[in-house]
Amino acid sequence: MTKKPSLLPRQASPPVLGNRRKLSDRRQLAVRRTYAFPDAVLQRELRALLHAFSRTVSSSLKLANGLDAFCEGANRLFSADRTSVWLHDRHAREMVLEASSDESYLAQGRRVSTEDLVAPAAMALRHERAEIAATLTHDHERFSAVVTVPLKGRRRALGTLVFESIRLDPGTEIDLLDRLDETGRQLAAAIENVQLLEGALRSHRELENTFNSIRDLVAVTDRRGRIVRANLALAERLGTTRDELVDRPMTEVVGPAIARLATGLELDADGEDGAGVTEELQDPVLNGTFSVMVSRLLGASREGLGYVLVAREITPRAQLEAERAQLQSRLSQSERLAALGQLVAGIAHELNNPLQGVLGHLELLRATRGLTPALRRDVRIVYREADRAAKIIRNLLVFAGSRKLMRRPVNVNQVVSRAITLRAPACRAAHIEIVKRLANLPRVQGDPVLLQQALFNIMTNAEQALDGTGGGRIEIVTTVEASLGMLLITIRDTGPGMPAQVLPRIFEPFYTTKEVGKGIGLGLAIAYGIIQEHGGEIIATNHPDGGALFKVALPIEKDSGP
């Protein structure tokens, strides 16, 4: 039966009974003080531990550094055997052991599936509050248990805090779980803040890397036309750094045409979002031809904040178009040369027949004994000039391709030696030294007579380059480029070299820099045509150490030996 409260005035208790009540009250107060003091200390140390965790991860931006220290501190405060933090990997759908007070346990790199129905870390992920997952030992005074604390973020589950073999006093379970819930909420908030910051920094780095990976030149300006952001390609093009470009007017870093385009849009004009203008412009500052697109930079309310400039270099494309036009010109030139060759061949044949008759009669006249010395001298001059005309006609016939290519296996070293032998007397007379270094070469398929003619013409050109220098040296080297399937003949002289304006036209027919009467500009053109007919290539350059350098490459005969 429930005792009803008395309505009468409260009377004083007897002295003995009053003393007993006072003693009981003092004992209860002492017990409350005994429990209250450790609780205040625990709260203070928990706050200090969480503050230290937040300070550590804020300075290092690495969760692992702060979580390890947190696990060690929490393990000591709650008298557990092991304290661990497991984080949720959403993509792998696993719980990953991120930190622990037990280093050997952490070193195992543990992972458990979020669908695991036994692992405390996985089970607690689905709980809302801290729970005693399992009781390990129990007696009347204390018991040990596994306690799990879910770490919940504002939008998703972050992970689990697991205490193993935590010591509990009977009757304190609810207070402890409440305290761990609060600890879990503060730890989860700190973890989520760091993860959000890490995500923001990662996104910023990815955006920065993407921005700098764009090979087009990109600049963003404010309303005044001053640069607020530039990518690495633009900085490298200007030979500066991105930081040095910031706050500079666009008009200082690009040419006037692009600058006018970059600031010509009306920022407050109505129009489609992102609409802009595109033009192809040449820029003397950026040194190239560019397709430039300028658009407005819009804010959240579609107000104009500045401009975005993207310049794509089209100089290579322009060069390609120029090369294509040049190739077409060369093709048409080849057609003209072919027609010219036919015309030259016809004229040469017509001139060659009467000229041979003239030379024959001059030979007979020279053999006549009744000529006076003066007349004999005149006949000799006429014969020499007629013979020179005959040589010109023969060169014209070679240029016109009247000789049919007679292919057979050719020892190139022998061809080189014959050409040197033919030019040796003239070189000795001019005090020109000929140096040859011949490698062990495979054979090529070709016409030895025409190849000799080509080398002879190149050597003659080298001699003429040394004419008037009082001597010099001609070096002839043969090598094998096995990887290219070619053999190489290089002919270098120690003369003055070729002017830059001459090099592009050196193989053109009838182009010559020699004095009148010393050549008609067909020698190198004939050499070029002969090498081309053999499927080879001939290149003329200036040697770095001085003089002209001709490189002749000929394809090696398949399965040929030295």
Side-chain angles (χ1 to χ4, degrees), residues 530-546:
I530 291 172
I531 300 304
Q532 287 287 318
E533 278 193 80
H534 281 79
E537 185 177 0
I538 181 170
I539 300 172
T541 59
N542 284 322
H543 194 277
D545 296 332

mmCIF file of all heavy atoms in Angstrom, residues 530-546:
data_model
loop_
_atom_site.group_PDB
_atom_site.id
_atom_site.type_symbol
_atom_site.label_atom_id
_atom_site.label_comp_id
_atom_site.label_asym_id
_atom_site.label_seq_id
_atom_site.Cartn_x
_atom_site.Cartn_y
_atom_site.Cartn_z
ATOM 1 N N ILE A 530 69.519 11.525 -110.964
ATOM 2 C CA ILE A 530 70.064 10.162 -110.979
ATOM 3 C C ILE A 530 69.801 9.464 -109.653
ATOM 4 O O ILE A 530 69.358 8.299 -109.619
ATOM 5 C CB ILE A 530 71.578 10.205 -111.284
ATOM 6 C CG1 ILE A 530 71.816 10.632 -112.735
ATOM 7 C CG2 ILE A 530 72.227 8.844 -111.023
ATOM 8 C CD1 ILE A 530 73.278 10.880 -113.068
ATOM 9 N N ILE A 531 70.043 10.165 -108.535
ATOM 10 C CA ILE A 531 69.825 9.551 -107.213
ATOM 11 C C ILE A 531 68.341 9.258 -107.009
ATOM 12 O O ILE A 531 67.971 8.218 -106.457
ATOM 13 C CB ILE A 531 70.365 10.470 -106.098
ATOM 14 C CG1 ILE A 531 71.871 10.713 -106.277
ATOM 15 C CG2 ILE A 531 70.109 9.867 -104.736
ATOM 16 C CD1 ILE A 531 72.700 9.444 -106.332
ATOM 17 N N GLN A 532 67.477 10.176 -107.450
ATOM 18 C CA GLN A 532 66.034 9.939 -107.324
ATOM 19 C C GLN A 532 65.613 8.712 -108.125
ATOM 20 O O GLN A 532 64.796 7.915 -107.670
ATOM 21 C CB GLN A 532 65.265 11.174 -107.807
ATOM 22 C CG GLN A 532 65.334 12.363 -106.857
ATOM 23 C CD GLN A 532 64.492 12.161 -105.614
ATOM 24 O OE1 GLN A 532 63.371 11.673 -105.675
ATOM 25 N NE2 GLN A 532 65.049 12.519 -104.459
ATOM 26 N N GLU A 533 66.183 8.545 -109.338
ATOM 27 C CA GLU A 533 65.847 7.383 -110.157
ATOM 28 C C GLU A 533 66.270 6.080 -109.494
ATOM 29 O O GLU A 533 65.679 5.032 -109.718
ATOM 30 C CB GLU A 533 66.513 7.507 -111.533
ATOM 31 C CG GLU A 533 65.767 8.387 -112.515
ATOM 32 C CD GLU A 533 66.311 8.201 -113.931
ATOM 33 O OE1 GLU A 533 65.938 7.207 -114.586
ATOM 34 O OE2 GLU A 533 67.115 9.057 -114.340
ATOM 35 N N HIS A 534 67.301 6.125 -108.673
ATOM 36 C CA HIS A 534 67.768 4.926 -107.959
ATOM 37 C C HIS A 534 66.990 4.696 -106.658
ATOM 38 O O HIS A 534 67.348 3.814 -105.879
ATOM 39 C CB HIS A 534 69.264 5.052 -107.649
ATOM 40 C CG HIS A 534 70.138 4.757 -108.835
ATOM 41 N ND1 HIS A 534 70.356 5.665 -109.847
ATOM 42 C CD2 HIS A 534 70.854 3.642 -109.172
ATOM 43 C CE1 HIS A 534 71.159 5.148 -110.748
ATOM 44 N NE2 HIS A 534 71.483 3.913 -110.371
ATOM 45 N N GLY A 535 65.943 5.483 -106.417
ATOM 46 C CA GLY A 535 65.145 5.322 -105.188
ATOM 47 C C GLY A 535 65.835 5.878 -103.972
ATOM 48 O O GLY A 535 65.472 5.531 -102.835
ATOM 49 N N GLY A 536 66.847 6.733 -104.181
ATOM 50 C CA GLY A 536 67.596 7.280 -103.066
ATOM 51 C C GLY A 536 67.203 8.709 -102.755
ATOM 52 O O GLY A 536 66.179 9.221 -103.201
ATOM 53 N N GLU A 537 68.062 9.352 -101.986
ATOM 54 C CA GLU A 537 67.793 10.724 -101.560
ATOM 55 C C GLU A 537 69.117 11.464 -101.472
ATOM 56 O O GLU A 537 70.144 10.896 -101.081
ATOM 57 C CB GLU A 537 67.097 10.724 -100.194
ATOM 58 C CG GLU A 537 66.662 12.092 -99.728
ATOM 59 C CD GLU A 537 65.911 12.031 -98.406
ATOM 60 O OE1 GLU A 537 65.739 10.913 -97.883
ATOM 61 O OE2 GLU A 537 65.518 13.098 -97.901
ATOM 62 N N ILE A 538 69.107 12.735 -101.849
ATOM 63 C CA ILE A 538 70.297 13.570 -101.760
ATOM 64 C C ILE A 538 69.929 14.860 -101.042
ATOM 65 O O ILE A 538 68.883 15.467 -101.322
ATOM 66 C CB ILE A 538 70.893 13.850 -103.165
ATOM 67 C CG1 ILE A 538 72.152 14.719 -103.053
ATOM 68 C CG2 ILE A 538 69.869 14.482 -104.077
ATOM 69 C CD1 ILE A 538 72.924 14.843 -104.366
ATOM 70 N N ILE A 539 70.768 15.250 -100.077
ATOM 71 C CA ILE A 539 70.509 16.436 -99.251
ATOM 72 C C ILE A 539 71.761 17.297 -99.244
ATOM 73 O O ILE A 539 72.880 16.780 -99.123
ATOM 74 C CB ILE A 539 70.140 16.041 -97.806
ATOM 75 C CG1 ILE A 539 68.874 15.164 -97.795
ATOM 76 C CG2 ILE A 539 69.922 17.273 -96.936
ATOM 77 C CD1 ILE A 539 68.561 14.591 -96.434
ATOM 78 N N ALA A 540 71.574 18.609 -99.353
ATOM 79 C CA ALA A 540 72.695 19.558 -99.292
ATOM 80 C C ALA A 540 72.518 20.450 -98.074
ATOM 81 O O ALA A 540 71.451 21.041 -97.874
ATOM 82 C CB ALA A 540 72.757 20.398 -100.559
ATOM 83 N N THR A 541 73.556 20.538 -97.240
ATOM 84 C CA THR A 541 73.541 21.395 -96.062
ATOM 85 C C THR A 541 74.920 22.019 -95.905
ATOM 86 O O THR A 541 75.845 21.711 -96.658
ATOM 87 C CB THR A 541 73.213 20.610 -94.777
ATOM 88 O OG1 THR A 541 74.197 19.583 -94.600
ATOM 89 C CG2 THR A 541 71.826 19.978 -94.850
ATOM 90 N N ASN A 542 75.061 22.856 -94.906
ATOM 91 C CA ASN A 542 76.359 23.389 -94.516
ATOM 92 C C ASN A 542 76.850 22.640 -93.286
ATOM 93 O O ASN A 542 76.087 22.400 -92.343
ATOM 94 C CB ASN A 542 76.267 24.882 -94.205
ATOM 95 C CG ASN A 542 76.183 25.719 -95.468
ATOM 96 O OD1 ASN A 542 76.837 25.421 -96.470
ATOM 97 N ND2 ASN A 542 75.369 26.764 -95.438
ATOM 98 N N HIS A 543 78.117 22.261 -93.279
ATOM 99 C CA HIS A 543 78.687 21.537 -92.141
ATOM 100 C C HIS A 543 78.889 22.504 -90.971
ATOM 101 O O HIS A 543 79.239 23.678 -91.184
ATOM 102 C CB HIS A 543 80.029 20.908 -92.544
ATOM 103 C CG HIS A 543 80.520 19.885 -91.583
ATOM 104 N ND1 HIS A 543 81.209 20.217 -90.437
ATOM 105 C CD2 HIS A 543 80.411 18.529 -91.588
ATOM 106 C CE1 HIS A 543 81.502 19.121 -89.770
ATOM 107 N NE2 HIS A 543 81.037 18.075 -90.451
ATOM 108 N N PRO A 544 78.655 22.043 -89.732
ATOM 109 C CA PRO A 544 78.834 22.945 -88.578
ATOM 110 C C PRO A 544 80.231 23.533 -88.489
ATOM 111 O O PRO A 544 80.409 24.653 -87.989
ATOM 112 C CB PRO A 544 78.539 22.038 -87.375
ATOM 113 C CG PRO A 544 77.678 20.938 -87.916
ATOM 114 C CD PRO A 544 78.131 20.726 -89.323
ATOM 115 N N ASP A 545 81.245 22.795 -88.964
ATOM 116 C CA ASP A 545 82.623 23.280 -88.892
ATOM 117 C C ASP A 545 83.036 24.042 -90.147
ATOM 118 O O ASP A 545 84.225 24.365 -90.319
ATOM 119 C CB ASP A 545 83.585 22.110 -88.671
ATOM 120 C CG ASP A 545 83.347 21.435 -87.334
ATOM 121 O OD1 ASP A 545 82.883 22.122 -86.408
ATOM 122 O OD2 ASP A 545 83.596 20.220 -87.235
ATOM 123 N N GLY A 546 82.097 24.311 -91.061
ATOM 124 C CA GLY A 546 82.401 25.052 -92.263
ATOM 125 C C GLY A 546 82.384 24.181 -93.501
ATOM 126 O O GLY A 546 82.638 22.975 -93.439
#
